[in-house]
mmCIF file of all heavy atoms in Angstrom:
data_model
loop_
_atom_site.group_PDB
_atom_site.id
_atom_site.type_symbol
_atom_site.label_atom_id
_atom_site.label_comp_id
_atom_site.label_asym_id
_atom_site.label_seq_id
_atom_site.Cartn_x
_atom_site.Cartn_y
_atom_site.Cartn_z
ATOM 1 N N TYR A 113 -23.038 27.151 5.598
ATOM 2 C CA TYR A 113 -21.649 26.688 5.492
ATOM 3 C C TYR A 113 -21.550 25.600 4.423
ATOM 4 O O TYR A 113 -20.674 25.611 3.585
ATOM 5 C CB TYR A 113 -21.230 26.167 6.874
ATOM 6 C CG TYR A 113 -19.837 25.624 6.936
ATOM 7 C CD1 TYR A 113 -18.733 26.456 6.764
ATOM 8 C CD2 TYR A 113 -19.607 24.278 7.217
ATOM 9 C CE1 TYR A 113 -17.458 25.952 6.849
ATOM 10 C CE2 TYR A 113 -18.335 23.781 7.309
ATOM 11 C CZ TYR A 113 -17.255 24.629 7.128
ATOM 12 O OH TYR A 113 -15.995 24.129 7.236
ATOM 13 N N MET A 142 -17.836 4.958 -31.886
ATOM 14 C CA MET A 142 -17.966 4.043 -30.752
ATOM 15 C C MET A 142 -18.205 2.598 -31.180
ATOM 16 O O MET A 142 -18.677 1.789 -30.402
ATOM 17 C CB MET A 142 -19.110 4.498 -29.822
ATOM 18 C CG MET A 142 -18.889 5.866 -29.232
ATOM 19 S SD MET A 142 -17.456 5.925 -28.150
ATOM 20 C CE MET A 142 -18.217 5.669 -26.579
ATOM 21 N N ALA A 149 -16.545 -16.909 -29.225
ATOM 22 C CA ALA A 149 -15.978 -18.187 -28.785
ATOM 23 C C ALA A 149 -17.143 -19.071 -28.355
ATOM 24 O O ALA A 149 -18.287 -18.626 -28.312
ATOM 25 C CB ALA A 149 -15.035 -17.963 -27.617
ATOM 26 N N PRO A 158 -8.008 -19.379 -9.642
ATOM 27 C CA PRO A 158 -8.138 -20.842 -9.591
ATOM 28 C C PRO A 158 -9.455 -21.347 -10.191
ATOM 29 O O PRO A 158 -9.452 -22.343 -10.922
ATOM 30 C CB PRO A 158 -8.084 -21.153 -8.087
ATOM 31 C CG PRO A 158 -7.426 -19.984 -7.464
ATOM 32 C CD PRO A 158 -7.728 -18.805 -8.324
ATOM 33 N N GLU A 188 -0.143 -9.987 -16.016
ATOM 34 C CA GLU A 188 0.366 -11.350 -16.162
ATOM 35 C C GLU A 188 -0.519 -12.284 -15.369
ATOM 36 O O GLU A 188 -1.010 -11.903 -14.309
ATOM 37 C CB GLU A 188 1.784 -11.443 -15.581
ATOM 38 C CG GLU A 188 2.819 -10.905 -16.510
ATOM 39 C CD GLU A 188 4.216 -11.119 -15.958
ATOM 40 O OE1 GLU A 188 4.384 -11.948 -15.056
ATOM 41 O OE2 GLU A 188 5.110 -10.428 -16.448
ATOM 42 N N ASP A 210 -1.988 -36.032 -12.073
ATOM 43 C CA ASP A 210 -0.528 -36.151 -12.088
ATOM 44 C C ASP A 210 0.143 -34.792 -11.933
ATOM 45 O O ASP A 210 1.163 -34.510 -12.561
ATOM 46 C CB ASP A 210 -0.074 -36.844 -13.380
ATOM 47 C CG ASP A 210 -0.604 -36.120 -14.611
ATOM 48 O OD1 ASP A 210 -1.527 -35.287 -14.459
ATOM 49 O OD2 ASP A 210 -0.111 -36.372 -15.721
ATOM 50 N N TYR A 278 -6.271 -7.561 -20.250
ATOM 51 C CA TYR A 278 -7.524 -7.016 -20.794
ATOM 52 C C TYR A 278 -8.618 -7.220 -19.769
ATOM 53 O O TYR A 278 -8.880 -8.339 -19.356
ATOM 54 C CB TYR A 278 -7.871 -7.690 -22.131
ATOM 55 C CG TYR A 278 -6.857 -7.317 -23.167
ATOM 56 C CD1 TYR A 278 -5.776 -8.134 -23.431
ATOM 57 C CD2 TYR A 278 -6.933 -6.082 -23.813
ATOM 58 C CE1 TYR A 278 -4.796 -7.746 -24.319
ATOM 59 C CE2 TYR A 278 -5.960 -5.696 -24.711
ATOM 60 C CZ TYR A 278 -4.893 -6.530 -24.960
ATOM 61 O OH TYR A 278 -3.912 -6.139 -25.835
ATOM 62 N N GLY A 327 -13.694 -13.569 -8.727
ATOM 63 C CA GLY A 327 -13.217 -13.515 -7.358
ATOM 64 C C GLY A 327 -14.184 -12.759 -6.464
ATOM 65 O O GLY A 327 -15.268 -12.367 -6.880
ATOM 66 N N HIS A 329 -16.467 -10.417 -4.613
ATOM 67 C CA HIS A 329 -17.108 -9.134 -4.894
ATOM 68 C C HIS A 329 -16.711 -8.594 -6.269
ATOM 69 O O HIS A 329 -16.277 -7.458 -6.412
ATOM 70 C CB HIS A 329 -16.757 -8.116 -3.799
ATOM 71 C CG HIS A 329 -17.781 -7.025 -3.658
ATOM 72 N ND1 HIS A 329 -18.983 -7.207 -3.035
ATOM 73 C CD2 HIS A 329 -17.780 -5.738 -4.078
ATOM 74 C CE1 HIS A 329 -19.676 -6.081 -3.068
ATOM 75 N NE2 HIS A 329 -18.974 -5.165 -3.693
ATOM 76 N N PHE A 337 -26.053 -9.815 -10.218
ATOM 77 C CA PHE A 337 -26.932 -10.081 -9.077
ATOM 78 C C PHE A 337 -28.208 -9.261 -9.205
ATOM 79 O O PHE A 337 -29.312 -9.741 -8.974
ATOM 80 C CB PHE A 337 -26.256 -9.715 -7.753
ATOM 81 C CG PHE A 337 -25.141 -10.641 -7.346
ATOM 82 C CD1 PHE A 337 -24.023 -10.146 -6.705
ATOM 83 C CD2 PHE A 337 -25.216 -12.010 -7.589
ATOM 84 C CE1 PHE A 337 -22.988 -10.988 -6.320
ATOM 85 C CE2 PHE A 337 -24.189 -12.855 -7.204
ATOM 86 C CZ PHE A 337 -23.069 -12.341 -6.574
ATOM 87 N N GLY A 376 -7.867 -13.404 18.708
ATOM 88 C CA GLY A 376 -7.722 -12.608 19.929
ATOM 89 C C GLY A 376 -6.935 -11.345 19.663
ATOM 90 O O GLY A 376 -7.146 -10.658 18.679
ATOM 91 N N GLY A 385 -11.672 -11.842 13.670
ATOM 92 C CA GLY A 385 -10.474 -11.825 12.837
ATOM 93 C C GLY A 385 -9.345 -12.595 13.476
ATOM 94 O O GLY A 385 -9.465 -13.093 14.600
ATOM 95 N N ALA A 404 -6.531 -11.264 8.946
ATOM 96 C CA ALA A 404 -7.838 -11.046 8.325
ATOM 97 C C ALA A 404 -8.776 -10.469 9.374
ATOM 98 O O ALA A 404 -8.731 -10.864 10.535
ATOM 99 C CB ALA A 404 -8.397 -12.356 7.791
ATOM 100 N N SER A 486 -15.918 -25.813 -8.137
ATOM 101 C CA SER A 486 -17.072 -25.155 -8.756
ATOM 102 C C SER A 486 -16.776 -24.843 -10.212
ATOM 103 O O SER A 486 -17.630 -24.977 -11.078
ATOM 104 C CB SER A 486 -17.453 -23.886 -7.995
ATOM 105 O OG SER A 486 -16.485 -22.879 -8.186
ATOM 106 N N SER A 537 -22.156 -17.489 14.559
ATOM 107 C CA SER A 537 -22.215 -17.661 16.008
ATOM 108 C C SER A 537 -21.379 -16.624 16.734
ATOM 109 O O SER A 537 -21.512 -16.468 17.944
ATOM 110 C CB SER A 537 -21.728 -19.063 16.388
ATOM 111 O OG SER A 537 -20.324 -19.155 16.197
ATOM 112 N N PHE A 542 -21.102 -12.533 24.038
ATOM 113 C CA PHE A 542 -19.753 -12.812 24.538
ATOM 114 C C PHE A 542 -18.718 -12.759 23.424
ATOM 115 O O PHE A 542 -17.565 -13.077 23.627
ATOM 116 C CB PHE A 542 -19.702 -14.182 25.229
ATOM 117 C CG PHE A 542 -20.635 -14.271 26.384
ATOM 118 C CD1 PHE A 542 -21.836 -14.974 26.276
ATOM 119 C CD2 PHE A 542 -20.354 -13.627 27.590
ATOM 120 C CE1 PHE A 542 -22.713 -15.042 27.332
ATOM 121 C CE2 PHE A 542 -21.228 -13.692 28.655
ATOM 122 C CZ PHE A 542 -22.417 -14.405 28.535
ATOM 123 N N LYS A 674 -17.447 -1.999 2.246
ATOM 124 C CA LYS A 674 -17.614 -1.447 3.593
ATOM 125 C C LYS A 674 -18.124 -0.013 3.626
ATOM 126 O O LYS A 674 -18.458 0.482 4.692
ATOM 127 C CB LYS A 674 -16.273 -1.554 4.333
ATOM 128 C CG LYS A 674 -16.297 -1.241 5.816
ATOM 129 C CD LYS A 674 -17.244 -2.122 6.614
ATOM 130 C CE LYS A 674 -17.116 -1.834 8.110
ATOM 131 N NZ LYS A 674 -18.179 -2.466 8.903
#
Side-chain angles (χ1 to χ4, degrees):
Chain A
Y113 179 66
M142 299 296 265
E188 281 185 18
D210 55 345
Y278 293 95
H329 205 77
F337 289 144
S486 71
S537 71
F542 300 104
K674 190 58 175 169

